[in-house]
Amino acid sequence: MRKKIVAANWKMNMTQAESERFVESLLLRLDDITDVEVVIVPPFTAIAKVSEGLGKAQNIKVGAQNMYWEKSGPYTGEISASLLRDLFVHYVVLGHSERRILFGETDEIVNRKVRAAHAAALRPIVCVGETLEQRDKGNVEKILSIQLRGSLAGLNPKELQETVIAYEPVWAIGTGRNATPAQAQEAHAFVRHTLHEMADDATAERVRIQYGGSVKPENARELMTQPDIDGALVGGASLDPRSFAQIVKAARDK
Ligand code: 13P
């Protein structure tokens, strides 16, 4: 059984004060949740505040939205895995489509970061997904296969098992237009099929695959009850503790 994982990707939002209020409110709503793994992914500037606010709450972890692959040194503006570990960060989102499209991240760059994250015992959440143009041309599987094989190259079975994949169709991000549960399940099944080709069967079955793209309380349950959808990576709806808590609770339903 794969434990569901629901993450809040705050992107470039949330001051320290807003983050503090969010955590207080979320803890009240989710203090009894142990059967779903919850991850808050603030901007770098709010990570310390969120870590501090979560304190001893074992069931909620902190993530980062990006990192650089070098350990330390003259890389102005970058953040390393060990600097994130210093703030009690467990997860790091890598290869988000906003980074691929706006900041030119290639599969090779994502792969370097994924391997550096594992080397520092940070768990990567690796994002893949097609654009609308690629979908309309019938290239979804081709794109997913290239992104997965490129981004995850060179991982051993243990590292692969500790990697979370997020399937985020670019056309569904921030548009209010989510993939239908059937469309998402079809893509997730293909992701898992690719993992079976890349690794042994037990490893491929253990990897958790999140869906991301306009997830809301209203559609979360139907998406996360699909057989290969193991959670959600939530953008806009994760900025409100009430709607994010509802999405987390939807992950408990069978
Ligand atoms: P939205 O939930 O705002 O569509 O964003 C999804 C996303 O990009 C999460 O990483």
Side-chain angles (χ1 to χ4, degrees):
M1 231 354 234
R2 297 181 292 265
K3 186 171 187 172
K4 293 253 191 329
I5 174 165
V6 178
N9 178 7
W10 286 353
K11 306 190 181 185
M12 201 169 72
N13 298 292
M14 301 291 263
T15 62
Q16 295 195 74
E18 288 164 345
S19 304
E20 193 170 18
R21 282 199 296 274
F22 179 101
V23 170
E24 279 170 15
S25 169
L26 193 72
L27 285 175
L28 291 175
R29 295 167 200 276
L30 294 184
D31 65 342
D32 59 335
I33 296 259
T34 54
D35 47 352
V36 178
E37 202 172 343
V38 181
V39 188
I40 310 292
V41 188
F44 291 130
T45 46
I47 288 177
K49 193 57 107 186
V50 170
S51 282
E52 196 183 295
L54 291 175
K56 292 191 177 54
Q58 295 278 335
N59 56 340
I60 307 180
K61 306 244 166 38
V62 187
Q65 299 177 19
N66 183 29
M67 55 166 260
Y68 193 53
W69 61 77
E70 293 288 352
K71 288 195 175 76
S72 63
Y75 305 102
T76 303
E78 295 296 321
I79 298 280
S80 68
S82 58
L83 292 176
L84 294 175
R85 296 273 304 166
D86 190 41
L87 292 175
F88 308 102
V89 168
H90 272 82
Y91 284 95
V92 60
V93 174
L94 295 173
H96 191 283
S97 61
E98 287 150 16
R99 298 221 53 89
R100 291 177 185 265
I101 294 167
L102 301 172
F103 301 98
E105 290 199 9
T106 60
D107 290 323
E108 195 205 330
I109 289 174
V110 177
N111 182 241
R112 283 193 188 205
K113 294 182 174 187
V114 168
R115 284 186 289 142
H118 280 299
L122 267 186
R123 294 181 174 213
I125 298 176
V126 179
C127 304
V128 295
E130 80 287 354
T131 62
L132 191 55
E133 194 187 348
Q134 290 163 337
R135 175 165 280 264
D136 288 344
K137 286 190 177 144
N139 287 338
V140 175
E141 295 191 352
K142 182 174 143 203
I143 296 300
L144 292 179
S145 175
I146 291 170
Q147 291 181 341
L148 288 166
R149 288 173 202 277
S151 305
L152 305 176
L155 299 192
N156 63 39
K158 181 170 178 288
E159 289 169 338
L160 205 51
Q161 274 173 37
E162 290 175 352
T163 300
V164 176
I165 313 282
Y167 169 64
E168 298 206 312
V170 177
W171 48 271
I173 296 178
T175 58
R177 178 185 164 193
N178 61 287
T180 64
Q183 281 174 323
Q185 168 54 29
E186 191 181 1
H188 281 232
F190 179 77
V191 170
R192 197 168 311 282
H193 163 80
T194 306
L195 294 171
H196 276 277
E197 287 185 350
M198 293 172 63
D200 62 275
D201 290 350
T203 300
E205 287 301 318
R206 282 196 193 118
V207 176
R208 292 176 296 175
I209 310 171
Q210 295 175 311
Y211 168 78
S214 297
V215 176
K216 305 179 270 279
E218 302 81 56
N219 60 25
R221 178 172 293 106
E222 208 185 339
L223 285 160
M224 289 190 282
T225 47
Q226 301 297 313
D228 287 293
I229 302 187
D230 307 310
L233 184 54
V234 188
S238 77
L239 297 172
D240 170 25
R242 197 171 44 166
S243 65
F244 182 64
Q246 283 171 351
I247 294 169
V248 171
K249 287 182 177 161
R252 308 173 98 174
D253 294 340
K254 301 285 180 286

